[in-house]
């Protein structure tokens, strides 16, 4: 880490501290050190979220890392030999892979535990904008681990971020953001990404290199990765023991197993409380996604869940990323309406009417009521 030019960025002029890119109010809702994407900015956007509009979830602040000095150190009992280091140019010379994937915060939708279910939960009160989709390019983590000499008995890989150490509200120092990844997932579809939507990663999204762990809670996709410990013994960090498990009445005292896949969700590309003109046709756009499989079908209700209609899908559904859809609606009578969307994925996973409570408010997968006014 000595050779890194690694420092905190100056305070952003407006919005959350520690984020480098501009956060105009028409694109983002600020939440502490995080910035939520506003869904009403998406109509007309392609399948991927433009990088300047992609949500940011920072535990601390975005570090500015000199790509020429950056090195990825791979070490641990799960390697045949000593530690191996890779520079950015070396990674770029390895076989490259591109994939489309959403990154979604496990707490996305958390606000609806309070507003729809009257269940108070702490943490960032995301509506549904703690998600973005991109075309990622990089090298497979499996390729790097193989070149580093991973042994068959390896069980966990622990990527560590180069952002500042994370301090809890009570002052506890949790150290650098890091979360073990089981070898089975690490050797499957995980990418060490150096490009996003055809350009280099932005500092806020993990430059020079981040992990992209398709389908899994966003915390797995460690940004600004500086090292990977590969181990033949299970590894742990507060991010898989204290955070990002489900705690609560439905779960054992130590919590559920660490979170992996995200659940099925849907969102309208419309402001909550949007006003629509009566007596004309409105094309309601939205997107649905699932961490486990491609989205197969989406149904929309414009009357609070009484009648449901099949939405038109605009994308060939792919696992790992979202599917765009639309529904044409011609409301005649002025007044308040509640829109709903419910998606079903290829494994039959769908969206319930209520999400099962957990103390931290993760994985809100229930159908979200979307109020609009016709008039
Ligand atoms: N090093 C590091 N990696 C991190 C984080 C972080 O704070 N530090 N936040 C995680 C969380 S909780 C999420 S949801 C995603 C957000 O990625 P984005 O900011 O590029 O949208 O990054 C993950 N990777
Ligand atoms: Mo997250």
């Amino acid at each position: 880490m000595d050779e890194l030019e690694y420092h905190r960025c100056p305070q952003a002029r407006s919005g959350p501290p520690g984020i480098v890119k501009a956060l105009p109010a028409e694109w983002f809702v600020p939440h502490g050190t995080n910035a939520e994407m506003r869904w009403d900015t998406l109509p007309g956007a392609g399948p991927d979220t433009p990088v300047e509009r992609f949500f940011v979830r920072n535990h601390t602040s975005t570090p500015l890392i000199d790509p020429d000095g950056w090195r990825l150190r791979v070490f641990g009992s799960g390697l045949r030999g000593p530690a191996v280091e890779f520079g950015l140019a070396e990674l770029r010379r390895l076989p490259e892979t591109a994939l489309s994937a959403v990154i979604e915060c496990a707490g996305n939708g958390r606000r609806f535990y309070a507003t729809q279910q009257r269940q108070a939960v702490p943490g960032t009160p995301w509506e549904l904008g703690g998600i973005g989709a991109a075309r990622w390019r990089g090298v497979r983590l499996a390729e790097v681990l193989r070149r580093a000499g991973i042994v068959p008995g390896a069980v966990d890989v622990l990527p560590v971020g180069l952002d500042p150490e994370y301090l809890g509200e009570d002052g506890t120092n949790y150290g650098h953001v890091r979360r073990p990844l089981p070898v089975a997932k690490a050797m499957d579809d995980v990418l060490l990404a150096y490009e996003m939507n055809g350009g280099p990663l932005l500092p806020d999204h993990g430059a020079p290199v981040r992990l992209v762990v398709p389908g899994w809670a966003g915390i797995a996709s460690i940004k600004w990765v500086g090292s990977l410990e590969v181990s033949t013994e299970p590894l742990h960090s507060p991010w898989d023991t204290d955070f990002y498990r489900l705690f609560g009445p439905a779960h054992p005292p130590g919590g559920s197993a660490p979170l992996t896949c995200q659940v099925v969700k849907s969102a309208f590309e419309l402001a909550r409380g949007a006003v629509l003109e009566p007596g004309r046709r409105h094309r309601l756009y939205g997107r649905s996604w699932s961490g486990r499989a491609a989205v197969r079908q989406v149904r929309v209700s414009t009357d609070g869940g009484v009648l449901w209609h099949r939405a038109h899908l605009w994308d060939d559904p792919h696992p790992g990323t979202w599917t765009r859809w639309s529904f044409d609606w011609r409301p005649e009578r002025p007044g308040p309406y509640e829109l709903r969307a419910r998606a079903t994925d290829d494994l039959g996973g769908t969206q319930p009417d209520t999400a099962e409570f957990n103390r931290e408010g993760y994985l809100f997968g229930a159908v979200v009521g979307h109020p609009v006014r016709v008039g």
Side-chain angles (χ1 to χ4, degrees), residues 24-356:
E26 63 269 30
W27 289 352
F28 292 102
V29 179
H31 297 291
T33 58
N34 314 304
E36 173 163 11
M37 179 201 72
R38 291 180 51 155
W39 271 93
D40 53 315
T41 69
L42 276 191
D48 299 324
T49 316
V51 292
E52 64 276 12
R53 298 195 214 170
F54 207 95
F55 86 105
V56 182
R57 163 63 174 123
N58 278 354
H59 282 73
T60 60
S61 58
T62 294
L64 295 175
I65 297 170
D66 169 15
D68 298 327
W70 176 86
R71 305 204 94 56
L72 177 65
R73 184 163 184 271
V74 189
F75 69 98
S77 60
L79 297 189
R80 249 189 321 273
V84 185
E85 288 197 352
F86 299 83
L88 187 56
E90 272 166 276
L91 286 190
R92 282 183 172 276
R93 277 196 298 271
L94 298 182
E96 64 172 40
T97 300
L99 59 86
S100 295
V102 298
I103 288 184
E104 182 185 23
C105 192
N108 195 26
R110 176 181 283 131
R111 183 186 168 86
F112 300 111
Y113 278 106
T115 60
Q116 270 192 197
Q117 304 188 178
R118 297 170 190 274
Q119 292 165 330
V121 287
T124 304
W126 304 102
E127 290 189 347
L128 286 168
I131 184 169
R135 182 90 184 144
W136 309 95
R137 187 181 298 278
V139 52
R140 281 181 180 277
L141 179 56
E143 177 77 28
V144 168
L145 293 175
R146 267 196 290 270
R147 283 175 193 253
I150 190 170
V151 298
V155 295
D156 273 334
V157 177
L158 184 67
V160 182
L162 292 167
D163 39 340
E165 294 180 334
Y166 174 60
L167 301 180
E169 269 164 29
D170 62 357
T172 307
N173 186 341
Y174 292 100
H176 290 289
V177 177
R178 61 202 190 282
R179 188 174 197 254
L181 189 62
V183 157
K185 181 68 174 173
M187 298 301 282
D188 183 13
D189 55 356
V190 177
L191 209 60
L192 278 162
Y194 43 70
E195 268 184 38
M196 182 177 183
N197 293 347
L201 284 185
L202 296 188
D204 295 315
H205 299 296
V209 176
R210 80 175 299 165
L211 248 60
V212 174
V213 182
W216 283 34
I219 184 60
S221 294
I222 294 292
K223 303 193 276 189
W224 314 295
V225 59
S227 64
L228 298 169
E229 179 179 355
V230 187
S231 175
T232 52
E233 299 295 327
L235 295 172
H236 291 288
S237 86
W239 284 268
D240 82 315
T241 55
D242 300 17
F243 323 129
Y244 301 103
R245 286 183 185 232
L246 305 177
F247 297 92
H251 303 288
S256 68
L259 293 185
T260 58
C261 290
Q262 290 288 103
V263 297
V264 187
K265 295 188 198 175
S266 302
F268 287 91
E269 298 176 359
L270 201 60
R272 295 178 68 75
V275 179
L276 305 174
E277 214 183 298
R280 59 164 281 241
R281 192 198 71 169
H282 297 274
R283 180 157 285 180
L284 305 174
Y285 287 98
R287 300 180 189 220
S288 298
W289 59 96
S290 160
R292 288 179 205 280
V295 164
R296 176 59 33 205
Q297 187 196 75
V298 180
R299 289 184 183 272
V300 169
S301 169
T302 57
D303 57 8
V306 181
L307 294 175
W308 291 86
H309 317 271
R310 207 183 257 256
H312 174 77
L313 304 189
W314 290 94
D315 295 311
D316 286 336
H318 282 292
T321 194
W322 53 26
T323 302
R324 293 174 296 169
W325 48 260
S326 71
F327 177 69
D328 289 346
W329 184 42
R330 188 187 161 99
E332 298 296 343
R333 234 168 316 126
Y337 289 79
E338 192 191 84
L339 309 179
R340 297 188 186 185
R342 171 179 274 129
T344 303
D345 72 19
D346 265 342
L347 292 174
T350 188
Q351 301 184 249
D353 288 327
T354 49
E356 188 180 82

